[in-house]
Amino acid sequence: DAGITQSPRHKVTETGTPVTLRCHQTENHRYMYWYRQDPGHGLRLIHYSYGVKDTDKGEVSDGYSVSRSKTEDFLLTLESATSSQTSVYFCAISESTSGETQYFGPGTRLLVL
Amino acid sequence: AQSVTQLGSHVSVSEGALVLLRCNYSSSVPPYLFWYVQYPNQGLQLLLKYTTGATLVKGINGFEAEFKKSETSFHLTKPSAHMSDAAEYFCAVSDQNTGGFKTIFGAGTRLFVKA
């Protein structure tokens, strides 16, 4: 199994509070991704990173920011959590982009009350 | 723009029966195609992928898929279902146009296997 961990694994928070999710990898892969998984939508890309300090937006980036100060860590921040951000969040990594397998972390289940 | 359509959000088969999960995609350039599986409370893991070359791709656990360009399809099959195949399956597509970053996932198909 690819060495990817996510923390926390479960979180309950209140509307309006900031929340940070962490993804940590031990594979030294260049590319890292944050997805959210919602019923009927599959996985949707929030943000991705192609190197330290190099990030860009995915299709559902509003309300989220990311940072990558080290190769192994990719942080996702919900600046002011809303109930619509209740979801399961997955981090993924890959060595390169096109055609490469993505390896997924175990997920973080977030409930915003 | 890329898109992926998985026909059927739920599929139920009997143990030992053929498994067929359907996936159609749209892409303006040659695609990279993937099937991932998700077991309860876990992340996704790769079943198989098509990049170039042979259009019939074999994956883990006896699954295979065939890339049919003329039909823009990448259906997943397994000759004989096992109880352990019960999971959710996601078809996904990426291509060079989007730098490969923007892998688009289908909505998923949950497979139920009856004893």
Side-chain angles (χ1 to χ4, degrees), chain A residues 9 31 33 35 37 40-43 45 48 50 57 59 90 97-102 104-106 109, chain B residues 32 34 36 38 41-44 46 49 51 88 90 94-96 99-107:
Chain A
R9 293 294 313 279
Y31 299 91
Y33 313 82
Y35 292 92
Q37 183 179 23
H41 290 278
L43 274 75
L45 183 65
Y48 61 90
Y50 45 96
K57 297 177 180 180
E59 64 177 300
F90 286 98
T97 57
S98 293
E100 285 293 327
T101 300
Q102 293 189 10
F104 286 80
R109 192 171 295 272
Chain B
Y32 304 112
F34 307 82
Y36 286 87
Q38 184 181 33
N41 299 312
Q42 294 185 24
L44 280 68
L46 184 74
K49 67 179 181 182
T51 53
E88 190 155 23
F90 293 92
S94 67
D95 65 42
Q96 291 279 9
F101 290 112
K102 296 181 182 171
T103 301
I104 304 299
F105 287 83

Side-chain angles (χ1 to χ4, degrees), chain B:
Chain B
Q2 297 168 312
S3 67
V4 177
T5 302
Q6 291 185 238
L7 295 176
S9 59
H10 297 84
V11 170
S12 182
V13 301
S14 297
E15 194 171 22
L18 171 72
V19 175
L20 171 60
L21 303 183
R22 298 178 188 272
C23 173
N24 288 89
Y25 70 91
S26 68
S27 176
S28 58
V29 296
Y32 304 112
L33 297 162
F34 307 82
W35 276 100
Y36 286 87
V37 61
Q38 184 181 33
Y39 299 103
N41 299 312
Q42 294 185 24
L44 280 68
Q45 55 184 279
L46 184 74
L47 265 183
L48 49 81
K49 67 179 181 182
Y50 168 80
T51 53
T52 59
T55 57
L56 181 62
V57 180
K58 295 186 185 299
I60 61 172
N61 301 336
F63 285 93
E64 62 182 38
E66 186 171 11
F67 168 53
K68 291 187 176 181
K69 184 179 177 181
S70 61
E71 299 177 7
T72 61
S73 69
F74 192 57
H75 301 331
L76 181 70
T77 61
K78 182 175 180 178
S80 176
H82 191 272
M83 296 297 288
S84 61
D85 295 327
E88 190 155 23
Y89 293 80
F90 293 92
C91 183
V93 62
S94 67
D95 65 42
Q96 291 279 9
N97 256 3
T98 56
F101 290 112
K102 296 181 182 171
T103 301
I104 304 299
F105 287 83
T109 297
R110 186 169 295 279
L111 177 66
F112 297 93
V113 182
K114 299 175 291 186

